[in-house]
Amino acid sequence: MAGSERRGGRRGGKARAAGGAGAGYGALRHPFAAQGAFSDDEIAAMHDTALRVLEDLGIRVLLSEARAILRGAGAIVDEDSAMVRIGRDMVAEALRQAPRSVRLRAADPARERVFAPGEMLFMAGAGCPNVTDLMRGRRAGSRESFVETLRLQQVFDVIHMHGPSAEPQDVPIHLRHYAMMEDQLANGAKPLFVYARGRGQVEEAFHMIRLARGLDEAGFRDGVWATTVINTNSPRQIDVPMARGIIDFARAGQLTLITPFCLAGAMAPVTVAGALVLQHAEALAGIVLAQMAAPGAPVAYGGFSSNVDMKSGSPAFGTPEHVRANLGSGQLARFIGLPWRSATGAASNVADAQGATETVMALWGAVLAQATVTVHAAGWLEGGLSFGYEKFICDVEALQVMAALAQPAAADTAALAFEAIAEVPPGGHFFAAAHTMERYETAFHAPLVADLANHGAWRDAGGLRADERATAIWQEALADFTPPRACDGAAGRLARWVADRRQAGGMPPEEM
Amino acid sequence: MAGSERRGGRRGGKARAAGGAGAGYGALRHPFAAQGAFSDDEIAAMHDTALRVLEDLGIRVLLSEARAILRGAGAIVDEDSAMVRIGRDMVAEALRQAPRSVRLRAADPARERVFAPGEMLFMAGAGCPNVTDLMRGRRAGSRESFVETLRLQQVFDVIHMHGPSAEPQDVPIHLRHYAMMEDQLANGAKPLFVYARGRGQVEEAFHMIRLARGLDEAGFRDGVWATTVINTNSPRQIDVPMARGIIDFARAGQLTLITPFCLAGAMAPVTVAGALVLQHAEALAGIVLAQMAAPGAPVAYGGFSSNVDMKSGSPAFGTPEHVRANLGSGQLARFIGLPWRSATGAASNVADAQGATETVMALWGAVLAQATVTVHAAGWLEGGLSFGYEKFICDVEALQVMAALAQPAAADTAALAFEAIAEVPPGGHFFAAAHTMERYETAFHAPLVADLANHGAWRDAGGLRADERATAIWQEALADFTPPRACDGAAGRLARWVADRRQAGGMPPEEM
């Protein structure tokens, strides 16, 4: 909980009313030992094969500025084909320079987070063109839905970083970054997200952060105020805005999550091991570019590999291949020693049993792989084509269970309860035992959307499924929302500058 | 797959059609390192506290025959109160005698399983009074639904042992065991379940197994042909049929899963640690009784502790408390060195996102705790008050993902795919690569009920949720069902004897 906020974050609408288990879900460390899907030798072979891909085959880098940086650092560049071959010495040097731990800054100091191996952070579903909910149906993302889903991210403590839930498609692209930054800066007290859509938009977004948060250049560089996701164009290609983003974020000291999206059987080899080799090569190339652009730049290794469904061509989530790719990515990240980003998600079209199975399976994959941040952890439907409001609530339930598992369990003498067991006769019950009375208000995790009523009571209350109950929860969260105190005045500090920029015609994104 | 069967087991209706990943899901070993929720010292303290409960407080044993056995082995017995105090020396002796590994026999030799630490077996939801499906609604369990759900257990390879899905309430209780055994013996080629409802019914059930399977006494004792679940009456009480069941199964060399159902805050202390202490004491008492009745009798440690929802009084599943109880139970089982039984389950009333989240969360708890067998792993709704047909299918999906994760992943040079990566140009795709063409038919896990179609295709196909699609899958499985060849003739071999017993008035269960 954040004491500095007008209303503290919350563990979920009904959680508070029900008086659930104690601690907040802000700062979490991984509770389980890291698991793997491959042997240490196999991981070393993947790393070595990825180095051979970079050395012998190379990667196409479409931005000449990036090729120049890499050439200057020793890469072999063919300007005609834009192919860049990166030696393993360059990779080793980049990995030496990349920081292991960075501080994610936020408007509310209580929302700041350490981004380092062992930490467990969650981000909501991101980058969806559409949104869907049971009241209004499926529709293109709009500024209204962007603000709403931003507020949902702010409300639930278990979401640790803001993400670009769904695209506000009703705002023209040359003005969209103003809207997305204004809305984040006015509603979100957690670490912020900035799209890497070209130098102009990135610099303006950084400027808006400084304006809204009252930071000078030095203050802005003192930790990470903005995070972006860099997706390579698998296989073996980094396009113009992505390469520019790596350079610009690195030079500004801001964080890039360098994440190939390697779908085995489509843009990557059909084997999980082969997809991971490609992912690893591409992520390393991005990390090298960042470090050669600005030594010590904050970067995260990114793993988001899964398989493509051979019938539909769609990406699959929560499958054995996806879980295994998560586990293997974690092994590769530990092999190179960097914090890393994973993802869950769902292919399901609705917040049903399929969607929950996919996301919870993938969540365990990410947690057992000790992902530093797990993206798309709540609300991601249709393989990312829709952000679901009810799906978000149902997924937050799973994240809150995981967060509670990251809290210690009492096992002192009092918790072992010998005296209570002695007090209750055989065949009796513990409802009225002193041991119970002292603890029952905080003993158990309070569910967010789960309904444990028996069949008759459930039916009499309308017989609603979890997704149908979730509607009231997001509606209540939005109705109750008050912008965090830490964002007070942000809109005012931005208004004049943004109006001038809009007047001047805005800033288009960079061409691919 | 079982070559000796008329139709092999299957990985699920659509799985075969889709030509999914290779291996069957019959014999599985745990793929992940065992995880815990408590420190080694805390587990040792729980064990010690449980021993103190048995030594100093005692447990009420309602069956005088059981008290006599325990008294004969050194326990201090108060006949007036039926309280039995069991010394730690007796516990140590019992744990020395209990086998670490037993062989579960089955009509089909390919369905026989090793029951030992490290093995990963699943059982369907068991013991439900009701059944529910989307076609016929919620209703009392009947012989028809018993046969149907038995056949569903037989069809899916990932279900390893038969269980008493739902009670055939349309069969009078003095005849019910005949029906349940006839149906299992005619339809089920996997290890069988027998209820411990008194000596008469148990002996008749064992007799029916021998008759149907053509076994003499020695053949019946050569491994485990029947498994039962023993539930204590928490706190600290073992009733008449349960105590009798422990004795009779032990003397017949058949397996008891000795499972206190300790709901923290209700029949057990409100802390997970305290509930585990009570569970451990009660399970140890049952194990002692089994070993004192017949040294070397096959027994499993049973852990099924969770919390009670303080609002509804219902048991909770997939909660942090449930996952933690699973993890702690696994630690306690490893502490005493026995194979053990866990459980998943759901409180949800329907096969929705809540139900999937609960069961998949609990499944990971059971798997990370390395449960030898996980009961209620498919189809258990309403905390066990209903067996859901669609829930069964949705849960089998999750179990098949887990089973696939227990298969090794290829990471040899060919799987690392350097040549394929070299072959595909930057920005290209791997659809037509030789590496893909050679593998795509078996590269990926085939989903059972998940639909990965995009939104338009999904909507045009009816816009069905996973539970709605699951209906067609169980219907198809039942329509296609042919009894396994290994069960041929079983009904005929039983008919005369069962008719005689029915004629003679049957056999009532034992009073509590």
Side-chain angles (χ1 to χ4, degrees), chain A residues 266 271 324 354 407 415 469, chain B residues 271 324 354 407 415 430 469:
Chain A
T271 52
R324 212 163 242 158
Q354 174 186 338
Q407 321 286 337
R469 293 192 303 273
Chain B
T271 52
R324 211 162 242 159
Q354 175 186 338
Q407 322 284 339
F430 289 76
R469 293 191 304 272

Side-chain angles (χ1 to χ4, degrees), chain A residues 188-273:
Chain A
K190 300 176 182 179
L192 305 172
F193 184 90
V194 171
Y195 265 125
R197 289 178 172 166
R199 181 158 291 160
Q201 289 202 353
V202 166
E203 287 184 346
E204 290 192 338
F206 291 171
H207 185 70
M208 290 177 73
I209 294 173
R210 287 188 292 263
L211 268 183
R213 300 299 183 232
L215 298 167
D216 59 14
E217 280 285 344
F220 182 67
R221 296 184 68 94
D222 180 22
V224 165
W225 287 93
T227 296
T228 198
V229 170
I230 297 294
N231 288 136
T232 50
N233 289 97
S234 304
R236 292 194 291 136
Q237 183 164 284
I238 302 179
D239 69 22
V240 169
M242 291 291 103
R244 190 90 75 193
I246 292 174
I247 296 168
D248 292 343
F249 273 71
R251 288 182 174 159
Q254 305 303 305
L255 178 62
T256 45
L257 312 176
I258 299 181
T259 316
F261 183 32
C262 286
L263 285 178
M267 290 83 79
V270 75
T271 52
V272 171

Side-chain angles (χ1 to χ4, degrees), chain B residues 103 105 112 209-210 213-225 252-254:
Chain B
R103 179 177 169 202
R105 306 299 304 269
E112 299 201 340
I209 294 174
R210 287 188 292 263
R213 300 298 183 234
L215 298 167
D216 58 15
E217 282 284 346
F220 182 66
R221 297 182 69 93
D222 180 23
V224 165
W225 287 93
Q254 306 304 305

Side-chain angles (χ1 to χ4, degrees), chain B residues 126-128 164 167 180 193-198 201-202 205 227-229 249:
Chain B
C128 305
E167 198 72 19
M180 294 176 81
F193 184 91
V194 171
Y195 265 125
R197 288 177 173 169
Q201 290 202 354
V202 166
T227 296
T228 198
V229 170
F249 273 70

